[in-house]
Amino acid sequence: MLRALAVDDERPSLEELLYLLNADPRIGTAEGASDATEALRRINRALESGPRGPEAIDVVFLDINMPGLDGLDLARLLTGFAQPPLVVFVTAHEDFAVQAFDLKAVDYVLKPVRKERLAEAIRRAAELRDSAPHIPVHEPDPDHISVELGGVTRFVAVEDITHVEAQGDYARLHTDKGSHLVRIPLSTLEERWRSRGFVRIHRRHLVALRHIGELRLDAGTVSVVVGSEELQVSRRHTRELRDLLMRRP
C-alpha cells in the first residue's frame, strides 16, 4: 500500500486528486498540502521518521505551477536526499515534461486528471517502490540531520551540535552558530546518537561529551558548561555523566 502526499495550491484540484487517490486500492493513505513549503515540511518529517516509520511517504503527486517554491523547485530539492519519495507530476502544463523526467519523475499526468491515467501513474509508482531495496535508515545521511529554514532544507553536521533541548514533541539543536528546531522527540535523538557521544543529563537536555568544557559542583548541584551555556545535570544522570567524562580521552 502506497503512502501518498498530494500537493496543489488550488483547493478544488487538490480535493479532486485526493478523492481519486483514496479511491485506488493501492493507496493506503493520502494527505494533502496546499503549497511546496508545506509539502517540504511534511516530507522532512517523513524522512526523519524513516522509510518504515509512521510518517513515511512513498510518492508525491506534485503540481508544477505554484506561487513561491514551485513543483520543479521542490523536486530538485528532493534529489539531494539519499532516499527521497517518488515524484509524479500532475499539472495543466505540457511544457515541463522534459524537465520533469530529467528530475527522475515517475510519470507526468495532465489535468484534468482522468481516473484511468492516474491509475497508470500509481501502478508505476507501486512497481518502483516494490522493486527498491528496503534499507532501514532513519536519516538521509547518518553524519547530518536535515533542518528546514524558510522552506529550504539544509543539513547540519551532527559533530557540530553541542547540545539538544527538548521542546515538547520537538527538539532544538544547538551549535556554535545558532539553533534549529526539528520535529523529533529528545528520546529518539538520545537513542540515535548514543554511539556518537551524546548523553542525557536532564529530562530536557542531551549533550555531546566532546563539547563539555567544564563540570561544576556547587552545594550539591552539578552542572556542565557547553560553549557559553551552563546546563544543570539531574541527580539521576550525574553518576553516569561523571563516569563517561572520566573515561573520555
Side-chain angles (χ1 to χ4, degrees), residues 147-163:
V147 299
E148 194 261 328
L149 297 170
V152 176
T153 299
R154 301 184 187 278
F155 298 93
V156 176
V158 174
E159 67 177 16
D160 292 339
I161 298 169
T162 58
H163 62 287

Side-chain angles (χ1 to χ4, degrees), residues 213-248:
E214 296 180 20
L215 178 69
R216 295 179 177 175
L217 179 62
D218 182 16
T221 300
V222 179
S223 61
V224 292
V225 176
V226 182
S228 60
E229 293 194 50
E230 184 174 354
L231 305 174
Q232 185 176 348
V233 182
S234 66
R235 289 181 182 273
R236 62 176 296 200
H237 295 294
T238 297
R239 183 171 181 175
E240 179 189 9
L241 176 63
R242 293 180 70 170
D243 289 346
L244 289 170
L245 288 174
M246 288 292 290
R247 298 198 300 266
R248 185 173 66 172

Side-chain angles (χ1 to χ4, degrees), residues 139 142 144-145 158 161 164 173 188-199 206:
E139 295 179 10
H144 297 79
I145 184 168
V158 174
I161 298 169
V164 187
L173 313 176
T188 299
L189 293 178
E190 178 186 9
E191 180 179 351
R192 188 181 299 179
W193 290 345
R194 184 179 290 114
S195 63
R196 303 182 69 93
F198 283 80
V199 59
L206 185 67

Side-chain angles (χ1 to χ4, degrees), residues 47-65:
L47 293 171
E48 295 295 350
S49 176
R52 299 181 186 177
E55 297 196 76
I57 295 172
D58 298 308
V59 56
V60 180
F61 292 85
L62 183 58
D63 188 22
I64 288 181
N65 189 19

Side-chain angles (χ1 to χ4, degrees), residues 10 77 88 109 112 148 212:
E10 296 180 356
L77 285 173
V88 173
V109 179
E148 194 261 328
I212 294 178

Side-chain angles (χ1 to χ4, degrees), residues 85-96:
L86 301 170
V87 172
V88 173
F89 284 101
V90 182
T91 177
H93 302 278
E94 299 180 0
D95 304 339
F96 302 105

Side-chain angles (χ1 to χ4, degrees), residues 41-208:
R41 282 194 287 265
R42 178 62 186 85
I43 293 167
N44 252 335
R45 297 203 305 270
L47 293 171
E48 295 295 350
S49 176
R52 299 181 186 177
E55 297 196 76
I57 295 172
D58 298 308
V59 56
V60 180
F61 292 85
L62 183 58
D63 188 22
I64 288 181
N65 189 19
M66 294 184 288
L69 197 69
D70 67 24
L72 292 171
D73 293 331
L74 178 56
R76 289 188 190 97
L77 285 173
L78 293 181
T79 62
F81 290 93
Q83 288 190 308
L86 301 170
V87 172
V88 173
F89 284 101
V90 182
T91 177
H93 302 278
E94 299 180 0
D95 304 339
F96 302 105
V98 173
Q99 291 172 260
F101 288 114
D102 283 344
L103 292 168
K104 310 301 182 185
V106 173
D107 208 339
Y108 194 89
V109 179
L110 290 175
K111 297 178 181 178
V113 179
R114 293 183 295 109
K115 180 180 179 180
E116 296 76 14
R117 182 64 184 87
L118 184 63
E120 172 62 16
I122 294 170
R123 182 192 65 77
R124 293 181 183 181
E127 287 183 354
L128 282 172
R129 194 281 307 267
D130 291 342
S131 65
H134 294 293
I135 304 172
V137 298
H138 295 281
E139 295 179 10
D141 179 350
D143 295 324
H144 297 79
I145 184 168
S146 59
V147 299
E148 194 261 328
L149 297 170
V152 176
T153 299
R154 301 184 187 278
F155 298 93
V156 176
V158 174
E159 67 177 16
D160 292 339
I161 298 169
T162 58
H163 62 287
V164 187
E165 179 183 1
Q167 295 188 352
D169 291 333
Y170 292 75
R172 183 167 293 280
L173 313 176
H174 292 267
T175 71
D176 290 338
K177 297 180 180 179
S179 67
H180 310 279
L181 194 65
V182 294
R183 194 176 186 271
I184 311 175
L186 191 67
S187 58
T188 299
L189 293 178
E190 178 186 9
E191 180 179 351
R192 188 181 299 179
W193 290 345
R194 184 179 290 114
S195 63
R196 303 182 69 93
F198 283 80
V199 59
R200 190 74 165 259
I201 65 167
H202 190 275
R203 62 182 178 83
R204 293 192 58 222
H205 290 111
L206 185 67
V207 173

